[in-house]
């Protein structure tokens, strides 16, 4: 996931001084500097002439500079939104909301997370952004819903993944915000083109689908009559369910290279880092899936180990659910997650396939 958090504030005075010399606006809001010869304090990007190093004192925020007797510079206004320590806090809150939009985000939960009283948090947020945390959360959720619907997800999935749960009240509110029902919005959304191929693999019939951004689905057919042959029609229907409004085009030639790459991967070969994925996920799923991609080939991890790895040791069951929801078999190696006791646990494409895949990887590693 892309993080838009601002850079770490310079820890040493030397780095702060360098930022002042460079008029580094990216560090505005992380500190201010007071000039003892003038009694004025500025943000790093202030356009005024640079003072001498020996006349400068650094402060973490404007309040400290004021307490030390400095006045705010009228040119760079170090107390205005960007230079305001409160705005850094509110930026952090915004990032938090964006990354946890699928959770129930209440004011008290946010307050706990940021160690503020709900009242103080609400007031700070509004003073900087002009809207309440709730209004901001709604806006982010709506953006997420639109994105999900445009991607062709069904309405329930789209709303759920945006943190709306299954409440019909929320459905109606979304309809008001969209100006139409989510269903209608989705139909009207520009349908993506999804190309796909179906081919044999070491694990049976496999469907690979891709948008122009990357692979969006890798599925295996059910076993038929005790072998991995499966049937192609079932795979096509699965794709239709997954992307009901996309234009689906079979294109064996366009996907031939990815098919080879995946087959090599299944046989335990080198992971191709250039395998681009275009998958929709909640922030939580994305964290789980990224952790899975870091499990070395030929090794396994337990569900609880993954939960610990992503810093949520109690989320073992949620990790298992995220594994089960993996839209791209093999490319995101959910087959490398097993139960604590060494039991293989479940696998969306059949436990025998998981076993087979792990055996192939082990063999290749040996
Ligand atoms: Zn200034």
């Amino acid at each position: 996931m892309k993080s838009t958090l601002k850079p770490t504030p310079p820890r040493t005075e030397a780095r702060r001084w360098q930022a002042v010399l460079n008029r580094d606006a990216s560090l505005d809001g992380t500190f201010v500097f007071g000039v003892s010869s003038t009694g004025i304090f500025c943000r790093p990007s202030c356009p005024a002439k640079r003072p001498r190093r020996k006349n400068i004192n650094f402060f973490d925020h404007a309040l400290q500079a004021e307490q030390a007797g400095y006045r705010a510079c009228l040119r760079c206004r170090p107390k205005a939104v960007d230079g305001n320590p409160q705005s850094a806090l509110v930026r952090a809150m915004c990032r938090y909301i964006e990354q946890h939009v699928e959770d129930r985000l209440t004011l008290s939960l946010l307050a706990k997370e940021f160690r503020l009283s709900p009242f103080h948090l609400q007031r700070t947020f509004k003073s900087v952004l002009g809207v309440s945390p709730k209004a901001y959360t709604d806006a982010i959720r709506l953006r997420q819903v639109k994105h999900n619907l445009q991607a062709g997800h069904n309405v329930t999935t789209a709303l759920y993944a945006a943190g709306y749960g299954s409440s019909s009240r929320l459905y109606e509110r979304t309809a008001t915000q969209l100006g139409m029902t989510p269903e209608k919005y989705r139909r009207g959304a520009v349908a993506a083109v999804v190309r796909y191929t179906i081919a044999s693999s070491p694990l049976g019939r496999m469907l690979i689908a891709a948008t122009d951004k990357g692979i969006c689905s890798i599925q295996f057919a059910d076993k038929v009559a005790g072998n991995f042959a499966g049937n192609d029609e079932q795979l096509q229907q699965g794709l239709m369910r997954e992307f009901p409004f996309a234009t689906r085009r079979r294109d064996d030639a366009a996907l031939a290279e990815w098919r080879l790459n995946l087959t090599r991967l299944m046989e335990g070969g080198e992971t191709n880092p250039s395998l681009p994925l275009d998958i929709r996920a909640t922030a939580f799923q994305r964290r789980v899936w990224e952790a899975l991609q870091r499990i070395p080939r030929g090794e396994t991890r337990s569900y609880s180990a993954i939960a610990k790895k992503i810093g949520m040791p109690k989320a073992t069951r949620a990790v298992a659910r995220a594994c089960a929801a993996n839209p791209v078999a093999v490319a995101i190696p959910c087959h490398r997650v097993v139960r604590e006791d060494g039991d293989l646990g479940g696998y969306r494409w059949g436990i025998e396939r998981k076993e087979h895949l792990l055996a192939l990887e082990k063999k290749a590693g040996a």
Side-chain angles (χ1 to χ4, degrees):
M1 185 192 321
K2 244 181 269 165
S3 171
T4 41
L5 288 177
K6 61 199 177 108
T8 323
R11 279 195 199 88
T12 64
E13 302 231 322
R15 284 166 68 193
R16 287 186 168 181
W17 172 235
Q18 198 54 50
V20 169
L21 288 177
N22 297 341
R23 293 190 169 85
D24 187 347
S26 76
L27 294 175
D28 282 357
T30 66
F31 73 94
V32 296
F33 64 96
V35 185
S36 59
S37 50
T38 59
I40 282 171
F41 72 94
C42 293
R43 60 172 85 198
S45 70
C46 181
K49 190 168 155 275
R50 297 295 89 166
R52 288 166 191 247
R53 172 68 185 87
K54 69 176 172 65
N55 292 335
I56 282 187
N57 284 305
F58 296 106
F59 301 95
D60 288 341
H61 33 79
L63 195 64
Q64 288 177 345
E66 281 181 329
Q67 281 164 352
Y70 290 92
R71 282 174 296 114
C73 167
L74 292 174
R75 263 183 99 173
C76 67
R77 301 166 144 288
K79 286 174 75 185
V81 171
D82 271 337
N84 183 337
Q86 285 192 333
S87 76
L89 178 64
V90 170
R91 265 205 298 274
M93 290 177 194
C94 290
R95 296 299 90 80
Y96 184 87
I97 290 171
E98 286 154 19
Q99 288 168 15
H100 294 81
V101 75
E102 78 271 25
D103 300 337
R104 268 177 55 97
L105 282 170
T106 60
L107 187 59
S108 63
L109 189 143
L110 280 175
K112 217 167 144 191
E113 186 68 31
F114 286 90
R115 296 187 187 83
L116 293 169
S117 75
F119 172 78
H120 187 183
L121 184 137
Q122 172 108 330
R123 199 184 53 186
T124 306
F125 201 94
K126 270 188 108 162
S127 76
V128 172
L129 279 189
V131 298
S132 69
K134 188 169 179 310
Y136 185 78
T137 306
D138 279 350
I140 295 298
R141 282 194 172 142
L142 189 66
R143 195 176 71 187
Q144 183 72 39
V145 167
K146 282 183 176 170
H147 184 78
N148 293 344
L149 291 172
Q150 280 168 350
H153 282 288
N154 70 45
V155 172
T156 315
T157 310
L159 288 177
Y160 196 79
Y164 278 121
S166 54
S167 142
S168 59
R169 197 173 55 83
L170 287 166
Y171 182 96
E172 278 152 26
R173 202 168 77 210
T174 312
T176 316
Q177 289 168 325
L178 285 170
M180 61 186 90
T181 68
E183 192 61 52
K184 208 163 173 188
Y185 181 89
R186 187 184 67 166
R187 282 210 199 97
V190 182
V193 176
V194 172
R195 293 172 200 281
Y196 71 95
T197 184
I198 297 178
S200 290
S201 81
L203 298 173
R205 296 299 278 175
M206 167 179 67
L207 175 142
I208 307 169
T211 65
D212 52 6
K213 293 198 191 79
I215 294 179
C216 57
S217 183
I218 301 171
Q219 309 291 336
F220 294 107
D222 284 345
K223 273 202 318 183
V224 170
N227 65 50
F228 286 146
N231 81 59
D232 294 4
E233 204 173 308
Q234 181 216 345
L235 286 170
Q236 273 163 329
Q237 278 167 4
L239 186 68
M240 199 166 83
R241 272 198 306 277
E242 216 177 337
F243 301 97
F245 291 91
T247 307
R248 299 173 299 277
R249 268 191 216 131
R250 181 151 184 160
D251 194 339
D252 296 330
L255 295 167
E257 202 184 321
W258 283 345
R259 180 171 58 75
L260 281 174
N261 269 330
L262 278 162
T263 307
R264 228 174 285 144
L265 248 161
M266 273 175 241
E267 287 164 344
E270 281 305 320
T271 312
N272 188 334
S274 69
L275 207 64
L277 300 179
D278 178 19
I279 46 179
R280 266 85 198 175
T282 65
F284 179 80
Q285 286 172 333
R286 209 169 278 278
R287 264 193 292 168
V288 172
W289 296 344
E290 279 167 4
L292 300 187
Q293 287 177 302
R294 287 193 290 269
I295 306 175
R297 159 174 74 105
E299 293 182 25
T300 57
R301 298 283 183 273
S302 68
Y303 292 103
S304 58
I306 297 295
K308 268 188 214 119
K309 191 101 203 159
I310 61 167
M312 299 179 74
K314 286 180 190 156
T316 304
R317 290 173 71 110
V319 165
R321 277 199 302 276
C323 288
N326 174 17
V328 286
V330 185
I332 293 175
C334 59
H335 59 276
R336 290 180 196 153
V337 191
V338 298
R339 281 218 292 252
E340 203 76 63
D341 57 10
D343 187 285
L344 282 186
Y347 192 52
R348 179 171 167 186
W349 298 278
I351 197 72
E352 283 173 61
R353 209 172 250 130
K354 186 175 188 174
E355 203 171 0
H356 197 68
L357 204 42
L358 286 173
L360 283 172
E361 287 190 343
K362 218 166 239 166
K363 209 170 89 191

